[in-house]
Amino acid sequence: MKALRYSLILISALFYSTFCLAQNSTEVATEQATGMRADGKIYVVIAIVLTILFILIAYLAIVDRKISRLEKENK
């Protein structure tokens, strides 16, 4: 019960600090995105993010197969 209370306090403190530090920077964000789209750099960013995501999913699939094989061998 004590651990649950401490974890709830920690999570609420993290969310509280996030809301306190939030800034209204929509103008800056849209300017940056527009600039990146105009330069064609946004496609590079998207390609890198998708590559990393694909590698992560492939790695998880390989690890899952290995764990499944080890579980079958132990039974």
Side-chain angles (χ1 to χ4, degrees):
M1 192 66 174
K2 222 176 194 184
L4 178 63
R5 184 172 28 162
Y6 286 133
S7 62
L8 287 175
I9 290 171
L10 177 67
I11 291 171
S12 62
L14 288 172
F15 282 123
Y16 181 72
S17 65
T18 304
F19 290 127
C20 289
L21 297 175
Q23 297 176 359
N24 189 7
S25 61
T26 55
E27 294 174 11
V28 174
T30 55
E31 288 175 14
Q32 289 175 348
T34 304
M36 290 185 80
R37 268 188 240 121
D39 295 341
K41 293 178 185 175
I42 193 75
Y43 300 114
V44 174
V45 172
I46 291 173
I48 291 172
V49 168
L50 289 176
T51 302
I52 292 172
L53 185 63
F54 176 73
I55 290 171
L56 254 168
I57 291 171
Y59 175 73
L60 288 175
I62 291 169
V63 169
D64 184 47
R65 285 187 205 148
K66 287 182 181 180
I67 289 174
S68 297
R69 186 184 46 162
L70 288 172
E71 286 176 346
K72 287 180 183 177
E73 287 177 3
N74 283 338
K75 287 183 182 182

